[in-house]
């Protein structure tokens, strides 16, 4: 049912053409899906396309889109912090194509979650479901966030075999020193985390975290630092994109709960 109702749409955004996919259904609450990073609208391992089909088959309209410069959409890729017009255009198109939708729930993973948090309200998104939000500034050395490195080292220090590896010379000392320097970085400002917290203050928002994902670990650390305490659902996985066995069902359950609230 869901696949037979899927339509490919194009719509304008600041002189460029965005491409979206609509899985139409009769429900009054619709799901807007925004992929993270440079990931196209179908999502990792087609996960978002399959999710949209299942939701539509049970009566939930779902709209996915590629922001400018990503996938089939034209224009320059300005990353998630420049995506406010893209989100606004997608929401307007979603509502125009499915006029019986009275409430739009925005779902995104990683920096798409952050973009929806920052720009969703102005675009007309009513509720937010934010998976593994990216809330730390990207380091110049391209290492993972310091909180994620700390968690990884803590795990290794509890493993006796890692101590034997170090003593026997099985550890790359240069890499170890680089990681320790990253851990020593003091993330005082948390500028993006504070901006994120301000944006979701008073909003109807829920966080979904992959328990052992580095970005999720960094989110927990930053949220604690800035005093952010949103309702949170934790899924037992290390997969950032919820791609391991059982992840899709757990994520879908979290999304359906948000849709019915």
């Amino acid at each position: 049912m869901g696949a037979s109702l899927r339509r490919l749409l194009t719509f304008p955004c600041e002189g460029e053409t965005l491409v979206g996919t609509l899985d139409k259904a009769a429900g009054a609450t619709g799901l807007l899906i925004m992929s993270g990073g440079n990931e196209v609208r179908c999502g990792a391992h087609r996960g978002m396309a399959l999710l949209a089909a299942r939701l539509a088959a049970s009566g939930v309209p779902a709209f996915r889109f590629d922001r400018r410069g990503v996938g089939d959409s034209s224009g320059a890729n300005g990353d998630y912090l420049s995506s406010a017009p893209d989100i606004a255009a997608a929401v307007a198109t979603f509502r125009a194509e499915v006029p019986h939708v009275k409430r739009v729930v925005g779902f995104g993973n990683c920096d798409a979650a952050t973009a929806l948090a920052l720009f969703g309200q102005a675009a007309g998104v009513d509720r937010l479901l934010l998976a593994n939000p990216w809330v730390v500034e990207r380091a110049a050395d391209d290492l993972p966030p310091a909180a994620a490195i700390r968690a990884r080292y803590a795990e290794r220090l509890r493993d006796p075999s890692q101590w034997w590896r170090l003593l026997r010379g099985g550890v790359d000392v240069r890499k170890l020193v680089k990681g320790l320097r990253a851990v020593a970085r003091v993330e005082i400002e948390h500028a993006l985390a504070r901006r994120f917290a301000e944006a979701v203050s008073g909003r109807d928002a829920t966080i979904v975290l992959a328990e052992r994902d580095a970005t999720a670990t960094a989110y927990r650390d930053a949220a604690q630092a800035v005093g952010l305490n949103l309702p949170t659902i934790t899924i037992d996985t290390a997969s950032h994109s919820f791609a391991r066995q059982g992840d899709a069902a757990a994520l879908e359950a979290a999304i359906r709960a948000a849709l019915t609230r």
Side-chain angles (χ1 to χ4, degrees):
M1 176 180 173
S4 65
L5 297 178
R6 179 168 291 173
R7 292 174 53 209
L8 188 69
L9 301 172
T10 60
F11 53 101
C13 176
E14 298 202 332
E16 303 295 343
T17 300
L18 304 190
V19 177
T21 310
L22 173 65
D23 287 68
K24 201 168 183 178
T29 297
L31 184 69
L32 179 78
I33 300 174
M34 183 176 179
S35 294
N38 297 319
E39 190 177 272
V40 297
R41 62 185 180 273
C42 66
H45 314 287
R46 296 181 60 241
M48 296 301 101
L50 296 171
L51 171 67
R54 289 193 297 270
L55 291 172
S58 63
V60 178
F63 187 70
R64 298 172 289 117
F65 71 100
D66 294 333
R67 59 176 169 80
R68 283 169 294 170
V70 173
D72 295 320
S73 294
S74 69
N77 184 350
D79 86 19
Y80 73 103
L81 288 175
S82 67
S83 63
D86 309 69
I87 296 171
V91 173
T93 300
F94 192 9
R95 289 188 182 275
E97 292 290 332
V98 194
H100 59 265
V101 166
K102 305 302 180 187
R103 187 176 73 146
V104 172
V105 176
F107 170 72
N109 187 34
C110 195
D111 60 22
T114 307
L116 286 169
L118 297 178
F119 311 126
Q121 184 172 24
V125 175
D126 302 295
R127 174 163 168 66
L128 298 168
L129 190 64
L130 309 173
N132 303 319
W134 181 268
V135 293
V136 294
E137 291 75 9
R138 298 190 187 278
D141 53 18
D142 204 32
L143 283 170
I149 297 175
R150 283 195 296 271
R152 180 60 175 158
Y153 280 166
E155 179 185 353
R156 288 190 172 188
L157 287 172
R158 290 192 293 267
D159 182 358
S161 67
Q162 296 298 322
W163 288 99
W164 281 111
R165 282 189 64 213
L166 179 62
L167 292 172
R168 292 172 179 174
V171 174
D172 186 332
V173 176
R174 287 176 300 178
K175 187 175 180 181
L176 175 63
V177 170
K178 189 176 180 181
L180 289 172
R181 285 175 178 168
V183 170
R185 277 199 312 254
V186 181
E187 297 171 316
I188 299 173
E189 295 298 331
H190 291 291
L192 182 57
R194 294 186 190 282
R195 185 179 174 189
F196 180 94
E198 183 178 349
V200 297
S201 177
R203 297 293 313 279
D204 188 358
T206 298
I207 303 295
V208 179
L209 298 178
E211 186 171 11
R212 296 180 301 283
D213 170 57
T215 304
T217 298
Y219 168 81
R220 284 190 292 263
D221 185 75
Q224 183 177 18
V226 302
L228 178 60
N229 185 24
L230 289 174
T232 300
I233 298 169
T234 300
I235 295 176
D236 183 15
T237 182
S239 173
H240 179 69
S241 57
F242 304 98
R244 296 189 178 177
Q245 185 175 9
D247 291 357
L251 180 61
E252 185 175 340
I255 290 172
R256 287 187 182 277
L259 291 166
T260 56
R261 276 186 54 183

